[in-house]
């Protein structure tokens, strides 16, 4: 193993790449907060009876963006999953 600053066994204060960095935790928290607000908003629309009208309005106005974005996300996910499967075989 190549000795680097991160893998130095002589030092008792070894630091990994993610120690002391809360960026990924903050990013995860913001994402989960966004999902929570989205679920609450969908439930609010459902209670008011405007959920179907709002979804159809979004679909009509943003159909040219939603379809290519969905295809890109699905393609990226499939390629990533094939990479995970191939990496596990080796």
């Amino acid at each position: 193993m190549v000795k680097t600053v991160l893998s130095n066994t002589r030092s008792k204060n070894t630091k990994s790449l993610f120690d002391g960095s809360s960026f990924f935790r903050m990013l995860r928290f913001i994402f989960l907060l966004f999902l929570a607000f989205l679920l609450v908003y969908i439930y609010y629309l459902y209670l008011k009876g405007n959920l179907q009208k709002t979804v159809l309005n979004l679909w009509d106005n943003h159909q040219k963006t939603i379809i290519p974005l969905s295809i890109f996300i699905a393609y990226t996910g499939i390629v990533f999953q094939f990479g995970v499967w191939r990496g596990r075989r080796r």
Side-chain angles (χ1 to χ4, degrees):
M1 182 172 154
V2 177
K3 289 189 177 189
T4 64
V5 176
L6 297 177
S7 66
N8 191 0
T9 57
R10 291 178 285 156
S11 175
K12 292 187 178 188
N13 283 339
T14 58
K15 290 186 176 182
S16 70
L17 181 63
F18 300 110
D19 283 350
S21 174
S22 62
F23 175 73
F24 294 107
R25 285 184 180 176
M26 190 175 4
L27 192 64
R28 183 179 61 187
F29 174 73
I30 290 170
F31 177 71
L32 292 175
L33 190 66
F34 170 75
L35 284 181
F37 280 126
L38 183 66
L39 286 174
V40 168
Y41 181 64
I42 288 173
Y43 185 64
Y44 171 75
L45 288 175
Y46 173 74
L47 289 179
K48 292 293 182 181
N50 292 334
L51 180 62
Q52 185 178 8
K53 188 174 99 174
T54 305
V55 169
L56 288 176
N57 189 17
L58 283 172
W59 176 254
D60 289 338
N61 292 335
H62 302 291
Q63 186 175 3
K64 291 183 179 180
T65 306
I66 293 173
I67 292 174
L69 189 62
S70 300
I71 292 171
F72 175 74
I73 290 172
Y75 176 75
T76 305
I78 290 169
V79 168
F80 177 77
Q81 190 61 41
F82 281 145
V84 169
W85 288 338
R86 181 159 179 119
R88 285 185 181 169
R89 281 194 308 194
R90 289 185 179 211

